[in-house]
């Protein structure tokens, strides 16, 4: 049988039929039809997407090298980036003392059921790098191995006391065993690095961090890094397992001080970090109530090192003569430019002026702040020199010193050049060299003092260099003034400190403070006088930055201890910012 095929009614027609049926059954009028929004445009304007919240920070300069664990890369920008992206086991608490970073770790404690001094770290399950890899025991192992074996690193003593680092529970539990008790263990494993990206990379530790970090374990990650333009763009790290950052982006822009000041005045940048001289401070104060200013001491003391391992300075009388020839006040002015750091004059060999427990240890009357020509003459003559033809000569050779300062570090170079001029005024010849930081701190200064005249030392007699401090002053003392330590398994000797100083009489005291057998205060009373009488270092000043923040940015804190303002970057609330085309 043939059946006709009927086409189904359109949806609208069905709706009309239904409505008519309903209308016949009730007295109510049919409801109006709703017109399609696709056929008739809305009268309301479209909602614009919210602009991202951005904080733009002005900085003095942006140059390659951002490894927070090496002397060559110490800078305010390295401080900032490492706080933003590299997680630490412990962080400064409100009182500056180290407290557990409970964003990274569930716990960290000394294990009591073992004969060896062992610390157990439990890493949070969700803690991971921005590329998806977990933060795990391999990151602890990598940092330990690099700090143990490398020269030119910051405060390596605690790492060199570790005998083993073990991975447990899929890498989320770490057992760290020391060959001696180490009460300063909370100062270790700060700013962990992504081992899975660095350990096999060409250049690895030495070169991979020249342009930032390949992955982040913090609230922000690098989106763009442009050394030529002097700009770093940081985006909120969407893989961060902790509280998400309140701003979408942070932009660091490098410019000269005049440009930074103008940008801060106009609001093109919302905050600035300046190594400010006196004139810059006057200009910043001139911005008035729109900008809040804070001086932030850095964990670094600018110091003149006199290398006892140098043939020219092997005699303590010559080292003292060099110090007597200097105008210390003028050197501090050159290095600080009359800025806030000038108020942080350093008069102790281990602690920096802003650290808890600091007090001057410099012997009264031992070192003058201005030149003492008569003392120079007496000391050099006692050391066998004669003043002949406008020079100090011994055995037919003039006293001719080489002063090293890191390349492109303006403050250190300024101090070195001023020092050369002051020595020349006392007829002591001096030449300034400016090697790259890697060469200076990894090769030249840690050279074996017994290998005098070796090519590695490059004849460096003095250096203007940073002396980093840490939350464990006993470890700082051991790193800077302790004798090199031989590995008990391999017999290999660790690198020497930068002056070649080693006093076997005070070494037991330094070691006792490191292991907790003696307090740092008692050890300092024994060690500091020896360092001053040996004339191996002249502390100048603690370095400082000035933080300038406009009122439209909220959440910026100074940071406890030496954490700095970037430790609070997750809480910064910026203003609707620029729309970068990515």
């Amino acid at each position: 049988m043939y059946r006709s095929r009927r086409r189904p009614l359109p949806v609208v027609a069905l709706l009309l039929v239904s409505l008519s049926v309903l209308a016949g059954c009730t007295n109510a009028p049919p409801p109006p039809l709703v017109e399609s929004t696709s056929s008739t445009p809305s009268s309301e304007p479209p909602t614009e997407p919210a602009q991202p919240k951005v904080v733009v920070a002005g900085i003095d300069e942006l140059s390659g090298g951002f490894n927070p664990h090496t002397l060559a890369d110490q800078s305010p920008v390295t401080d900032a980036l490492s706080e933003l992206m590299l997680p630490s086991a412990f962080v400064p608490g409100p009182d500056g003392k180290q407290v557990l970073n409970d964003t990274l770790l569930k716990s960290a404690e000394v294990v009591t059921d073992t004969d060896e001094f062992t610390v157990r770290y439990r890493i949070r399950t969700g803690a991971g790098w921005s590329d998806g890899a977990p933060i795990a025991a391999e990151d602890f192992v990598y940092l330990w191995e690099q700090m143990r074996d490398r020269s030119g690193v910051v405060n390596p003593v605690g790492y060199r006391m570790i005998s083993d680092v073990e991975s447990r529970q899929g890498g989320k539990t770490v057992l760290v065993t020391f060959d001696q008790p180490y009460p300063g263990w909370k100062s270790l494993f700060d700013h962990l690095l992504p081992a899975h990206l660095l350990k096999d990379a060409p250049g690895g530790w030495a070169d991979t961090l020249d342009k930032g970090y390949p992955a982040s374990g913090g609230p922000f990650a690098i989106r763009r890094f442009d050394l030529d333009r002097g700009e770093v763009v940081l985006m909120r790290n969407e893989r961060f397992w902790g509280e998400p950052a309140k701003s979408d982006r942070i932009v660091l822009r490098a410019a000269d001080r005049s440009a930074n000041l103008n940008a801060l005045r106009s609001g093109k940048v919302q905050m600035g970090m300046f190594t400010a001289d006196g004139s810059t401070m006057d200009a910043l104060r001139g911005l008035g109530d729109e900008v809040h200013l804070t001086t932030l001491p850095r964990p670094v003391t600018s110091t003149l090192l006199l290398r006892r391992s140098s043939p020219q300075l092997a005699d303590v009388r010559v080292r003292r003569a060099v110090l007597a020839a200097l105008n210390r006040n003028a050197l501090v002015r050159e290095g600080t430019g009359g800025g806030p750091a000038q108020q942080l004059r350093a008069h102790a060999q281990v602690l920096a002026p802003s650290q808890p427990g600091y007090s001057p240890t410099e012997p009264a009357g031992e070192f003058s702040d201005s030149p003492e020509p008569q003392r120079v003459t007496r000391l050099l003559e006692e050391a066998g020199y004669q003043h002949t033809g406008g020079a100090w000569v011994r055995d037919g050779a003039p006293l001719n010193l080489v002063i090293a300062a890191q390349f492109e570090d303006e403050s250190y170079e300024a101090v070195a050049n001023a020092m050369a001029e002051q020595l020349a005024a006392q007829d002591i010849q001096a030449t300034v060299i400016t090697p790259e930081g890697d060469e200076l701190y990894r090769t030249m200064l840690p050279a074996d003092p017994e290998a005098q005249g070796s090519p590695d030392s490059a004849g460096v007699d003095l250096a203007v260099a940073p002396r980093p401090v840490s939350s464990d002053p006993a470890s700082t003392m051991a790193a800077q003034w302790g004798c090199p330590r031989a590995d008990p398994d391999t017999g290999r000797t660790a690198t020497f400190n930068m002056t070649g100083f080693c006093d076997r009489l005070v070494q037991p005291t330094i070691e006792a403070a490191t292991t907790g057998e003696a307090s740092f205060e008692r050890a300092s009373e024994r060690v500091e006088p020896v360092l001053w009488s040996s004339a191996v270092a002249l502390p100048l000043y603690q370095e400082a930055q000035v933080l300038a923040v406009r009122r439209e940015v909220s959440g910026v804190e100074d940071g406890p201890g030496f954490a700095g303002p970037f430790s609070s970057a997750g809480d910064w609330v910026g203003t609707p910012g620029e729309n970068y085309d990515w």
Side-chain angles (χ1 to χ4, degrees):
M1 179 187 301
Y2 173 77
R3 295 180 180 177
S4 64
R5 301 179 63 185
R6 303 176 59 187
R7 298 178 62 187
L9 289 174
V11 173
V12 172
L14 288 173
L15 181 61
L16 288 172
V17 171
S18 301
L19 290 174
S20 63
V21 172
L22 291 171
C25 299
T26 68
N27 295 325
L33 293 176
V34 178
E35 295 187 26
S36 171
T37 56
S38 60
S39 59
T40 304
S42 172
S43 60
E44 295 185 6
T47 302
E48 294 185 3
Q51 284 188 305
K53 291 186 175 64
V54 180
V55 178
V56 183
I59 55 177
D60 289 327
E61 62 178 352
L62 182 66
S63 56
F66 302 98
N67 189 334
H69 303 288
T70 65
L71 288 167
D73 291 354
Q74 295 299 294
S75 73
V77 176
T78 297
D79 295 345
L81 292 178
S82 60
E83 285 294 331
L84 285 167
M85 287 180 281
L86 302 180
S88 299
F90 284 79
V91 295
D95 60 357
K97 295 181 179 179
Q98 297 297 96
V99 298
L100 183 75
N101 179 7
D102 56 12
T103 300
L104 174 67
L105 299 176
K106 290 189 288 186
S107 64
E109 68 278 322
V110 176
V111 179
T112 57
D113 57 353
T114 178
D115 293 335
E116 297 176 296
F117 188 87
T118 302
V119 178
R120 180 191 294 116
Y121 300 85
R122 289 190 172 95
I123 306 170
R124 292 201 174 277
T125 304
W129 297 103
S130 56
D131 65 350
I135 296 174
E138 68 170 337
D139 302 314
F140 283 70
V141 172
Y142 178 75
L143 186 57
W144 163 53
E145 291 177 342
Q146 302 306 310
M147 296 295 286
R148 176 192 64 188
D149 298 335
R150 302 275 183 172
S151 60
V153 294
V154 177
N155 291 325
V157 168
Y159 293 98
R160 291 174 180 165
M161 294 174 66
I162 295 173
S163 57
D164 191 28
V165 179
E166 298 179 65
S167 173
R168 302 282 180 87
Q169 297 180 325
K172 285 298 184 177
T173 295
V174 189
L175 287 181
V176 179
T177 303
F178 296 79
D179 56 22
Q180 296 180 76
Y182 183 51
W185 62 273
K186 291 182 180 180
S187 66
L188 302 180
F189 299 110
D190 61 331
H191 301 131
L192 292 169
L193 297 167
H196 65 291
L197 297 175
L198 296 180
K199 61 183 179 181
D200 297 321
W205 177 268
D207 302 324
T208 308
L209 303 180
D210 282 352
K211 294 185 177 180
Y213 311 122
S216 172
F220 288 89
I222 292 176
R223 179 63 181 83
R224 185 172 69 206
F225 198 103
D226 193 332
L227 282 176
D228 294 330
R229 292 181 58 184
E231 183 176 84
V232 179
V233 179
L234 304 165
M235 295 285 288
R236 183 192 290 118
N237 178 9
E238 299 300 338
R239 290 184 181 270
F240 185 56
W241 65 97
E243 287 290 329
K246 295 179 180 178
S247 287
D248 301 273
R249 305 172 191 158
I250 294 177
V251 181
L252 305 183
R253 284 187 181 150
D256 60 40
R257 289 173 185 171
S258 175
N260 270 328
L261 285 167
N262 289 334
L264 193 61
R265 182 181 295 107
S266 66
K268 290 183 178 180
V269 303
Q270 288 80 51
M271 61 178 288
M273 287 288 290
F274 301 98
T275 304
D277 57 14
S279 60
T280 303
M281 285 304 302
D282 290 340
L284 286 169
R285 295 187 186 102
L287 298 177
D289 295 337
E290 287 296 318
V291 177
H292 178 70
L293 303 178
T294 308
T295 297
L296 303 176
R298 295 188 61 233
V300 174
T301 300
S302 178
T303 305
L304 168 61
L305 303 176
L306 297 89
R307 302 187 70 225
R308 194 171 72 170
S309 54
S310 158
Q312 302 247 54
L313 296 181
D315 190 324
V316 67
R317 293 169 295 188
V318 179
R319 298 197 298 273
R320 289 175 178 169
V322 168
L323 294 178
L326 299 178
N327 185 329
R328 192 176 181 184
N329 288 328
L331 295 180
V332 171
R333 285 195 301 271
E334 284 290 337
T336 64
Q342 185 169 263
Q343 306 305 315
L344 295 171
R345 293 283 297 270
H347 296 281
Q349 295 286 355
V350 177
L351 291 177
S354 72
Q355 285 188 283
Y358 169 85
S359 63
T361 61
E362 183 176 333
E366 181 69 20
F367 299 96
S368 174
D369 285 337
S370 57
E372 299 177 281
Q374 293 181 344
R375 193 176 184 202
V376 173
T377 298
R378 176 176 60 81
L379 289 168
L380 289 180
E381 287 179 347
E382 290 177 0
Y385 281 92
Q386 293 182 334
H387 192 257
T388 304
W392 288 99
V393 179
R394 184 175 64 183
D395 299 329
L399 180 58
N400 191 349
L401 303 176
V402 175
I403 307 170
Q406 183 173 344
F407 178 64
E408 289 190 340
D409 191 307
E410 293 183 4
S411 62
Y412 291 177
E413 288 186 26
V415 172
N417 288 321
M419 189 186 313
E421 292 179 3
Q422 293 176 12
L423 293 175
Q426 304 299 323
D427 290 336
I428 299 174
Q429 300 176 30
T431 303
V432 175
I433 63 171
T434 54
E436 295 283 352
D438 287 344
E439 181 183 10
L440 179 61
Y441 300 124
R442 294 180 187 173
T443 304
M444 291 181 172
L445 296 183
D448 186 344
E450 299 300 324
Q452 294 190 359
S454 68
D456 285 345
S457 69
V460 175
D461 303 297
L462 305 101
V464 184
R467 279 201 305 109
V469 297
S470 75
S471 59
D472 181 37
S475 297
T476 301
M477 180 166 61
Q480 294 170 358
W481 306 117
C483 298
R485 190 168 178 266
D487 187 297
D489 297 325
T490 65
R492 180 177 54 192
T493 300
T495 54
F496 293 82
N497 60 57
M498 291 191 291
T499 67
F501 178 85
C502 173
D503 190 316
R504 295 295 177 185
L505 295 178
V506 299
Q507 182 64 20
T509 302
I510 293 176
E511 292 178 355
T514 307
T515 60
E517 296 177 23
S519 67
F520 168 75
E521 290 75 17
R522 288 190 59 188
S524 178
E525 292 174 359
R526 172 79 174 90
V527 174
E528 289 265 353
V530 174
L531 296 174
W532 286 108
S533 64
S534 298
V536 289
L538 183 66
L540 297 175
Y541 57 90
Q542 183 177 359
E543 298 178 19
Q545 287 272 292
V546 174
L547 172 66
V549 183
R550 290 181 59 88
R551 63 172 59 185
E552 58 261 32
V553 178
S554 63
V556 181
E557 302 290 340
D558 298 349
F562 290 120
F566 284 84
S567 64
S568 66
D571 293 326
W572 296 359
V573 180
T575 57
E578 302 171 45
N579 185 18
Y580 286 91
D581 184 17
W582 290 325

